């Protein structure tokens, strides 16, 4: 696609992106780069991908007109129901795409890293579906914090390997996964869970998730007789659900895009994950992007009450959307998000993931016109977060 907001031939979004990887990984990443577009364009790939999205994931997900929310905020608010996907969030769209690609590349062993465990579960799910070996790296601290997801992965047949170095969290798990990939270049495919990592991963993941905005267009045409909304709002951890919801609107400059980051306890509190505001250019996970770091370039540990937004960087597409101001970036605190989560539950009968609740908090901070069509990407359901809700509200 010839777009200032999409990836160029060299793998960059403006100043961001690229593939900054160890020499040993080059052949693997290069082979993927050369083949991902042709393989995913094949009719047999498209047929299998679409059939699984339909009958296994449950797509198309509904575009739901939220009547009570619309009355409350005086705009036409639609919710894109990714929470209704199999496994409870958008992440499965991408893992299905990548495992089909891995199979066509002749790979038999799948590795992944996970922080909160959601991507680990989505990966373990598709490995079970395809009968492939699955190894998920996870920080030792995260293994303790996210016990239910660890149990899910094990039940699905995956091996969960603890990362015991550094802060024992996501970035350490990523290092372990990359080390594994270097040692097993022939048979192993690395499934990355967001629009991060070396080129072509951000573009590949964005394409797999772009089914979200493709569906929004046709659903909105049916409901409102127009393809383009006035606003699309999505939360951003690495940025994959936002990339999917924005994708087909990137060049439609009259569609306003709002990316919602986690402010944690406040942008200036020292406990935050508002990467675009706090981040500086650096390299993380093989990609040049905005990331939170100390003056001498050490990655800082992010903080958010929602485990899925707790990432020290942001994908290169979003770094560029921030820099070019194509998207507006808004940071929402823990308290604000939690309040919006319980309000959505009691206004529409939908308990959102806490990640997603950040996107809803924007409704209180933005002024809309009564005829504005506002789409919120409801990236996931809140079942996994029930304990956090219970402790926070003393339910
Ligand atoms: C993982 C996750 C996110 C954050 O990841 P992105 O790549 O930014 O989409 C957001 N919402 C839910 C429900 C998640 O599971």
């Amino acid at each position: 696609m010839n777009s200032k907001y999409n990836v160029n031939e060299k793998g960059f979004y403006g100043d961001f992106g690229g593939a900054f990887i160890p020499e040993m990984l080059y052949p693997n990443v290069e082979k993927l780069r050369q083949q991902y577009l042709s393989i995913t364009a094949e009719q047999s790939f498209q047929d299998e991908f679409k059939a699984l999205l339909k009958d296994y994931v449950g797509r198309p997900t509904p575009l739901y007109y939220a009547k009570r929310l619309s009355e409350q905020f005086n705009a036409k608010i639609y919710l894109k129901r990714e929470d209704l996907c199999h496994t409870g969030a958008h992440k499965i769209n991408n893992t299905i795409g990548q495992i089909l690609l891995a199979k066509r590349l002749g790979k038999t062993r799948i590795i992944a890293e996970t922080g909160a465990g959601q991507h680990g579960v989505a990966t373990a799910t598709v490995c079970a579906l395809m009968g492939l070996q699955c190894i998920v790296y996870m920080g030792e601290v995260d293994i303790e914090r996210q016990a239910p997801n660890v149990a899910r992965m094990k039940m699905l047949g995956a091996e969960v390997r603890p990362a015991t170095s550094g802060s024992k969290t996501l970035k350490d798990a990523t290092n372990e996964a990359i080390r594994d990939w270097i040692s097993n270049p022939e048979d192993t495919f690395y499934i990355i869970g967001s629009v991060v990592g070396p080129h072509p991963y951000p573009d590949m993941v964005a394409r797999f998730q772009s089914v979200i905005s493709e569906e929004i267009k046709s659903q909105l045409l049916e409901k409102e007789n127009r393809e383009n909304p006035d606003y699309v709002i999505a939360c951003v951890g690495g940025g994959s659900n936002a990339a999917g919801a924005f994708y087909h609107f990137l060049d439609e400059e009259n569609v306003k895009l709002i990316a919602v980051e986690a402010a944690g306890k406040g942008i200036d509190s020292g406990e935050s994950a508002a990467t675009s505001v706090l981040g500086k250019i650096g390299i993380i996970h093989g990609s040049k992007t905005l990331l939170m770091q100390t003056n001498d370039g050490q990655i800082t540990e992010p903080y958010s009450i929602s485990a899925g937004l707790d990432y020290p960087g942001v994908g290169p597409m979003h770094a560029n959307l921030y820099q070019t101001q194509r998207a507006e970036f808004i940071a929402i605190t823990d308290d604000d998000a939690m309040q919006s989560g319980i309000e959505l539950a009691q206004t529409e009968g939908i308990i959102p993931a806490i990640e997603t609740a950040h996107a809803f908090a924007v409704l209180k901070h933005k002024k809309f016109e009564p005829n504005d069509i506002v789409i919120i990407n409801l990236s996931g359901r809140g079942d996994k977060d029930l304990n956090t809700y219970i402790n926070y509200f003393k339910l």
Side-chain angles (χ1 to χ4, degrees):
M1 198 193 294
N2 202 0
S3 154
K4 345 182 223 181
Y5 305 114
N6 229 311
V7 78
N8 67 19
E9 257 126 67
K10 299 211 164 82
F12 279 84
Y13 299 82
D15 294 338
F16 306 102
F20 299 84
I21 48 172
E23 188 87 32
M24 308 267 293
L25 279 183
Y26 183 78
N28 243 319
V29 174
E30 178 58 16
K31 190 168 170 214
L32 186 63
R33 188 189 69 75
Q34 285 172 6
Q35 300 198 7
Y36 81 109
L37 290 176
S38 57
I39 292 177
T40 54
E42 281 167 15
Q43 195 59 48
S44 69
F45 183 97
Q46 283 294 320
D47 289 348
E48 198 177 354
F49 185 48
K50 287 194 176 130
L52 285 170
L53 288 183
K54 178 167 180 279
D55 294 333
Y56 189 71
V57 176
R59 304 203 73 90
T61 58
L63 184 69
Y64 164 66
Y65 175 65
K67 185 159 174 286
R68 301 226 304 138
L69 211 57
S70 297
E71 280 163 9
Q72 187 183 344
F73 291 102
N74 203 24
K76 285 182 161 176
I77 300 171
Y78 283 90
L79 311 183
K80 182 59 174 161
R81 298 291 307 274
E82 294 301 297
D83 59 318
L84 297 178
C85 289
H86 177 47
T87 68
H90 66 289
K91 285 195 173 72
I92 189 104
N93 302 325
N94 166 50
T95 54
I96 288 194
Q98 286 195 51
I99 204 155
L100 292 180
L101 191 56
K103 281 211 315 182
R104 280 163 175 76
L105 289 167
K107 307 290 183 178
T108 54
R109 183 175 175 273
I110 301 294
I111 57 169
E113 93 279 341
T114 193
Q118 294 301 108
H119 173 57
V121 170
T123 303
T125 300
V126 297
C127 287
L129 178 69
M130 297 294 165
L132 294 186
Q133 185 190 0
C134 180
I135 294 155
V136 180
Y137 290 94
M138 191 168 182
E140 212 167 35
V141 169
D142 290 334
I143 288 180
E144 251 166 63
R145 287 196 289 206
Q146 312 290 340
N149 275 340
V150 175
R152 282 187 188 101
M153 286 182 260
K154 288 185 176 164
M155 183 147 179
L156 291 160
E159 181 191 338
V160 180
R161 287 195 190 161
T164 55
S165 63
S167 54
K168 304 180 174 59
T169 58
L170 180 62
K171 67 177 163 47
D172 312 291
T174 304
N175 291 340
E176 291 296 329
I178 289 174
R179 205 165 296 153
D180 180 314
W181 205 21
I182 291 174
S183 320
N184 301 283
E186 289 301 320
D187 62 347
T188 298
F189 190 93
Y190 181 17
I191 295 190
I192 294 183
S194 190
V195 283
V196 300
H199 180 65
Y201 277 98
D203 183 48
M204 183 169 73
V205 177
R207 285 166 183 265
F208 290 143
Q209 292 291 1
S210 71
V211 64
I212 299 172
S213 48
E214 190 184 314
E215 288 175 4
I216 291 174
K217 275 190 171 255
S218 60
Q219 290 168 322
L220 205 57
L221 188 63
E222 196 177 289
K223 289 176 197 294
E224 294 282 349
N225 208 19
R226 55 186 264 201
E227 281 195 328
N228 289 352
D230 296 290
Y231 291 88
V232 182
I233 305 175
C235 65
V236 172
S240 69
N241 87 87
F246 294 171
Y247 197 86
H248 291 285
F249 303 114
L250 286 172
D251 290 314
E252 310 278 354
E253 304 258 358
N254 55 347
V255 180
K256 298 176 199 75
L257 308 176
I258 300 183
V260 188
E261 293 185 312
K265 297 187 176 162
I267 288 181
D268 300 318
S269 66
E271 291 181 87
S272 176
T275 313
S276 63
V277 191
L278 296 171
K280 294 195 183 63
I281 292 188
I283 289 172
I284 182 171
H285 218 147
S287 170
K288 186 173 168 191
T289 189
L290 292 172
L291 62 122
M292 293 172 23
Q293 52 189 309
T294 60
N295 285 336
D296 46 7
Q298 292 297 318
I299 294 169
T300 12
E301 199 67 25
Y303 165 81
S304 163
I305 194 166
S306 78
L309 301 186
D310 195 347
Y311 183 69
V314 64
M317 175 198 273
H318 296 290
N320 187 50
L321 292 176
Y322 177 76
Q323 196 182 58
T324 58
Q325 297 183 11
R326 172 66 186 94
E328 179 182 1
F329 281 68
I330 297 179
I332 296 294
T333 62
D334 287 356
D335 290 336
D336 211 355
M338 294 303 278
Q339 203 55 46
S340 295
I342 201 163
E343 282 168 20
L344 180 67
Q346 296 178 5
T347 310
E348 294 288 345
I350 297 170
I351 300 174
I354 299 174
E355 291 84 354
T356 317
H358 285 74
F360 280 90
V362 166
L363 292 173
K364 291 184 220 163
H365 296 275
K366 266 324 265 191
K367 189 102 187 71
F368 301 104
E369 299 296 325
N371 281 324
D372 279 348
I373 295 179
V374 179
I375 305 234
I376 302 181
N377 197 38
L378 217 171
S379 59
R381 66 177 87 123
D383 308 34
K384 69 182 177 65
D385 297 320
L386 220 52
N387 264 327
T388 313
Y389 280 127
I390 289 169
N391 292 335
Y392 187 89
F393 291 110
K394 316 261 177 284
L395 299 171

